[in-house]
Amino acid sequence: MAEAPSSAPRAPVRPLSPHLTIYKWPITMAMSIAHRVTGTGLYFGTALLAWWLIAVASGPNAYSNFQMLAGSWIGRLVLFGYTWALLHHMLGGIRHLIWDMIVGLDREGREWLSWATVVGSVTLTLLIWIVVYFFTGGLR
Amino acid sequence: MGAPNHNMRTPLARVRGLGSARSGTEHFWRQRMTAVANVPLTIAGIVIVIALLGRNHAAAAQILGSPLIAIIMLLFIFSVATHMRIGMQVVIEDYVHEEKMKFALVMLNTFYAIAIGLASAFAILKLSFGV
């Protein structure tokens, strides 16, 4: 917000330094944000993993309820998103571990690693779902 | 000791190296350690989930309860719960600046991580011990 607050009309309007909305997103910034967003998604998604385990432990009825929900189109959509978030966060984490060793921090290295994160996560997600559908007969 | 100590910190505080948050680099290090552990455990977890898709309850319960699978899942849950607790605490501390709300959310975060971890571990152990 560039305008001065109305409660202080006499405050001088100073120029603001450019912020997130101004810059063209560098890939490193996009992947940094994606890492945090996928991490937050996985945080809540872990409840689904717990729910699945508890359903198996509870018995056939709870398990078939879970199977039914997981097999519905919205369930599959969530699981697809979960798979991508998991792989993206994993590859992003590996990228951070590489950076922790002070490797790949130059412009070329960091941009390559950032692109590799998104390309790798999308490719692996599609591969996994192709395997699931064609080799295990889907989610049924 | 040549130069006079112009530091406000006591020598003991400097030796302990815990800083203003009083926990030093413990969270930083634990986050990376669990990150490393999560890589093979996540891959194993995905393989286990895929192997279980489409199976009936009896088969799923038997596979999840078998010793090797149960141990891998327990390690996975423990590492993930630790990792996600630290990660979410960082997110909360970055965005929530009101002290009471921050305190409450950091506490709630711990409750959530422990509840998820314990519930999952209980389910796996129940399947494993067959009771």
Side-chain angles (χ1 to χ4, degrees):
Chain A
M1 286 187 288
E3 70 267 29
S6 56
S7 58
R10 284 182 204 175
V13 182
R14 297 191 178 93
L16 291 169
S17 77
H19 199 46
L20 293 180
T21 49
I22 299 289
Y23 289 120
K24 174 170 174 259
W25 280 34
I27 187 65
T28 43
M29 177 173 125
M31 287 306 107
S32 173
I33 293 168
H35 195 66
R36 184 160 279 205
V37 170
T38 50
T40 305
L42 291 168
Y43 178 85
F44 296 105
T46 312
L48 299 177
L49 178 69
W51 178 19
W52 175 61
L53 291 168
I54 292 164
V56 181
S58 296
N61 282 339
Y63 184 71
S64 70
N65 283 342
F66 183 91
Q67 292 270 72
M68 207 173 66
L69 280 164
S72 68
W73 70 268
I74 192 146
R76 287 176 197 218
L77 196 67
V78 168
L79 288 174
F80 186 81
Y82 196 159
T83 314
W84 175 74
L86 193 60
L87 292 166
H88 193 274
H89 200 76
M90 186 181 85
L91 293 179
I94 292 170
R95 190 187 70 222
H96 277 290
L97 291 171
I98 292 170
W99 283 341
D100 282 347
M101 293 184 287
I102 324 182
V103 172
L105 284 167
D106 59 314
R107 190 197 168 102
E108 211 169 277
R110 63 177 185 260
E111 293 192 344
W112 189 90
L113 284 169
S114 298
W115 277 112
T117 310
V118 63
V119 172
S121 67
V122 170
T123 309
L124 283 174
T125 304
L126 292 174
L127 273 177
I128 284 177
W129 279 72
I130 287 167
V131 167
V132 166
Y133 265 89
F134 289 95
F135 294 93
T136 71
L139 285 168
R140 304 296 301 172
Chain B
M1 303 290 268
N5 182 16
H6 293 305
N7 202 326
M8 290 296 282
R9 298 169 69 193
T10 64
L12 179 62
R14 230 178 39 245
V15 167
R16 282 182 175 152
L18 296 181
S20 59
R22 298 184 197 87
S23 60
T25 53
E26 185 193 326
H27 271 189
F28 175 92
W29 180 244
R30 194 174 286 170
Q31 191 68 342
R32 270 133 196 93
M33 204 157 63
T34 50
V36 170
N38 280 344
V39 174
L41 292 171
T42 297
I43 294 167
I46 290 173
V47 171
I48 291 168
V49 169
I50 289 175
L52 285 172
L53 287 176
R55 292 188 192 255
N56 64 27
H57 175 259
Q62 195 196 4
I63 293 169
L64 271 177
S66 67
L68 181 65
I69 304 297
I71 290 167
I72 291 171
M73 290 303 288
L74 284 170
L75 289 171
F76 182 50
I77 286 296
F78 181 71
S79 188
V80 160
T82 308
H83 188 85
M84 75 181 195
R85 179 188 164 222
I86 300 171
M88 185 51 75
Q89 185 171 331
V90 172
V91 172
I92 292 166
E93 287 165 350
D94 276 358
Y95 302 130
V96 182
H97 303 301
E98 205 277 306
E99 274 304 315
K100 282 174 189 158
M101 179 59 94
K102 182 167 79 181
F103 188 84
L105 286 177
V106 167
M107 193 187 263
L108 192 66
N109 175 43
T110 302
F111 291 165
Y112 175 79
I114 291 175
I116 291 290
L118 196 84
S120 305
F122 176 82
I124 296 163
L125 290 176
K126 183 175 183 292
L127 288 165
S128 222
F129 297 141
V131 284

